[in-house]
Amino acid sequence: MMRLFVGLELPWDVKERLSGLAGSLQGARWVPPENYHLTLRFIGETPHHVAEEIDHALAALRLRPFDLRLTGLGAFHKGGRPTQLWVGAARCEPLDRLQGKIETALQRVGLPAEKRRFTPHVTIARLDNVSEASAAGFIGQHNLFAAEPFTVGEFVLFSSRLGKERSVYTAEVEYELA
Ligand code: 2AM
C-alpha cells in the first residue's frame, strides 16, 4: 500500500517567501519548507495495482501550463479551534480545470468522489492549542502576503510517509503540462 496524493511542487523562491512567515505563534508547529506543496487531490492508502491505474489515468491528461500566485492567509478549524494555518492561492480558472480533470480521472479509475470543496492552499503550520484570537491576530498581521506568481508546468503524484516529527513526501511521478 502507498499513501498517495496529487499536488503541485512549489519553486524554491516561493518556498523561501513562505518560510519567512514562520514566526512567533505559540503552539504552532511550522511545516519545514521542503514539505510545502499545494494538494490538488488527496487519495490516501492505495494498493500498488490501483496506483498504476491512477498513474495511467493522470498521464493521459492534456493541459496547458498556467501562472499561479500564492496570496492571503487563512486557517482551518475543527471543533471551533484553529488546527491549521495556510497560505491561499489566487483563484484561477486553469487551476480549477486541472483539479476538476484530476477528480474526473480518479473517479473513472473507481475512487469515490471527493466530498470536500476544493480550497487551494499551502499548509504552513499545524496548530496545537492555539486560541482563535491568536490565530486571527497572526492572520491579520500577514493577510497582505503575496508571493511572486510562478508558472505551473507540471503536477505530481506524491507518496507520503507519516513520521513522528514530520511527514516525508516523495514525488513518484511528474506529469508535464505542455
Ligand atoms: P493539508 O495540507 O490541508 O493538511 C498530504 O498529506 C496532503 O494531503 C496534505 O497537503 C494534506 O492537506 C492532504 N490531506 C491529508 N489527509 C487528508 C484527508 N483526509 N483529506 C483531504 N486531504 C488530506
Side-chain angles (χ1 to χ4, degrees):
M1 296 283 265
M2 307 172 84
R3 184 181 159 89
L4 297 176
F5 67 97
V6 183
L8 300 180
E9 185 66 84
L10 306 174
W12 263 108
D13 56 330
V14 172
K15 289 185 174 179
E16 254 171 25
R17 282 295 316 280
L18 294 178
S19 70
L21 290 167
S24 55
L25 179 63
Q26 199 144 43
R29 281 180 290 127
W30 298 98
V31 172
E34 66 268 23
N35 275 5
Y36 293 149
H37 63 272
L38 188 152
T39 299
L40 294 167
R41 172 55 144 94
F42 182 71
I43 300 174
E45 290 295 335
T46 312
H48 280 270
H49 72 275
V50 179
E52 274 176 31
E53 287 180 42
I54 289 173
D55 173 35
H56 288 146
L58 295 178
L61 296 182
R62 293 285 170 263
L63 286 147
R64 309 286 298 169
F66 60 93
D67 286 349
L68 187 66
R69 185 186 188 90
L70 299 182
T71 180
L73 265 75
F76 287 143
H77 294 77
K78 209 181 214 168
R81 279 197 163 267
T83 54
Q84 234 171 287
L85 201 58
W86 46 260
V87 170
R91 204 79 207 199
C92 75
E93 202 266 330
L95 179 67
D96 288 341
R97 184 154 8 108
L98 174 61
Q99 190 270 339
K101 292 250 181 191
I102 290 168
E103 179 62 32
T104 309
L106 294 181
Q107 287 182 26
R108 284 213 193 103
V109 169
L111 303 194
E114 172 64 71
K115 291 199 191 74
R116 300 194 210 181
R117 198 163 49 90
F118 178 48
T119 309
H121 67 277
V122 177
T123 301
I124 58 167
R126 315 252 166 219
L127 308 179
D128 302 317
N129 281 315
V130 174
S131 71
E132 177 57 37
S134 29
F138 188 89
I139 290 167
Q141 242 173 5
H142 295 285
N143 67 358
L144 293 180
F145 176 85
E148 283 299 304
F150 62 96
T151 302
V152 177
E154 61 183 28
F155 65 98
V156 180
L157 180 61
F158 287 100
S159 66
S160 122
R161 274 180 297 126
L162 303 177
K164 250 191 220 135
E165 293 290 313
R166 61 174 66 173
S167 300
V168 177
Y169 303 130
T170 307
E172 297 289 342
V173 192
E174 285 152 9
Y175 307 94
E176 204 185 332
L177 307 177

